Amino acid sequence: MSKSLLKTRIIIGRCYLRWRNLFHKGIRFPTYPQAIQKMLCFSSDPVRHSSMALALERIRTDQIPGAIAEIGVHRGTTSELLHKQLPERMLYLFDTFAGFPGEDDTRFRNTSIAIVKARLDDIRNVEFRVGVFPETSVGLEGERFSFVLYDADKHEPAVAALAFFYPRLSPGGYFVLHDYNSPESDHAVKSAADKFLADKPERLIELPDVWGTALFRKI
């Protein structure tokens, strides 16, 4: 491990501990339910998850119509938050549930639909879309969405997700881009999002979370 990478990891670790201590004490004035606040105390990425919790509560209070979508589910940690906060909304989970197909990249293979179902417990209003995006979006062309989380790392699925969900995102709805400021896959998410949004009225808001998330709200 290089000295620069080691230094970066140490800094991230120290920042994480500071944020973890803060969130274990609880946010002073959260707008989301107390049960969600307690859940977030154990988050491995409290800035990102709390930001999403605030967005989901805004969707509820503003009655922004539409389903919720998560592209890149892995073991369902974030899926649990999304479903627990808005269980009445349809939640579409897009993933191979077997890691990246046909690649030497062996990350994210330690998952399955059974693991995610066990974490969610209640799978009413949850639909598993198994396979590679955008093929797994077939049949949802008429659906509307209020919240979309992209967390699939790669460039091509990011381009496809933005193209598919943007016109189906309700005004006021949120599009969250995990790894936007991460070097993951040669800055794949950033390059896809910057190009797609170049001629759109929306502007990205960047979060100081663990993995460099960014988001925008549909105008």
Side-chain angles (χ1 to χ4, degrees):
M1 182 184 298
S2 67
K3 289 184 178 179
S4 61
L5 180 57
L6 178 60
K7 184 178 180 180
T8 300
R9 289 190 173 183
I10 291 172
I11 292 172
I12 291 174
R14 288 174 178 172
C15 289
Y16 165 72
L17 289 174
R18 292 192 186 104
W19 279 109
R20 187 68 174 268
N21 290 335
L22 171 63
F23 276 81
H24 269 297
K25 295 176 182 177
I27 298 176
R28 189 175 297 275
F29 302 112
T31 59
Y32 43 77
Q34 187 177 23
I36 299 299
Q37 184 180 12
K38 290 180 179 179
M39 182 178 177
L40 293 173
C41 286
F42 299 95
S43 169
S44 61
D45 196 350
V47 174
R48 176 167 61 98
H49 290 147
S50 296
S51 297
M52 289 194 294
L54 290 170
L56 293 168
E57 200 60 27
R58 175 57 56 187
I59 288 169
R60 186 204 308 277
T61 57
D62 287 0
Q63 298 182 344
I64 297 170
I68 298 171
E70 183 182 10
I71 306 93
V73 175
H74 193 213
R75 296 171 67 90
T77 301
T78 305
S79 312
E80 182 183 13
L81 171 65
L82 301 177
H83 190 47
K84 187 172 184 178
Q85 193 164 350
L86 291 179
E88 70 278 7
R89 300 282 180 125
M90 193 67 196
L91 173 61
Y92 294 99
L93 299 178
F94 298 83
D95 204 303
T96 64
F97 298 96
F100 297 117
E103 294 190 20
D104 294 332
D105 192 335
T106 59
R107 294 174 302 151
F108 310 121
R109 292 184 180 177
N110 60 334
T111 186
S112 66
I113 293 179
I115 288 173
V116 178
K117 284 183 176 180
R119 180 178 288 276
L120 295 179
D121 189 29
D122 179 3
I123 59 170
R124 288 174 294 181
N125 293 332
V126 178
E127 184 171 318
F128 291 83
R129 291 271 168 160
V130 184
V132 178
F133 198 88
E135 287 83 357
T136 48
S137 66
V138 173
L140 296 177
E141 293 80 3
E143 183 68 275
R144 300 290 295 176
F145 295 88
S146 59
F147 185 97
V148 178
L149 168 60
Y150 179 80
D151 187 8
D153 296 5
K154 305 295 184 177
H155 183 269
E156 290 77 10
V159 172
L162 286 160
F164 180 81
F165 289 107
Y166 181 86
R168 296 171 175 84
L169 192 62
S170 298
Y174 290 77
F175 200 117
V176 180
L177 294 149
H178 188 265
D179 286 324
Y180 175 81
N181 275 323
S182 166
E184 174 66 40
S185 299
D186 195 22
H187 301 276
V189 176
K190 179 178 175 61
S191 62
D194 287 353
K195 183 176 181 179
F196 183 84
L197 292 171
D199 61 349
K200 306 294 189 300
E202 291 80 13
R203 292 294 178 265
L204 285 168
I205 297 173
E206 299 167 61
L207 303 181
D209 67 329
V210 175
W211 297 108
T213 298
L215 60 84
F216 67 85
R217 293 189 73 182
K218 183 73 176 290
I219 295 176

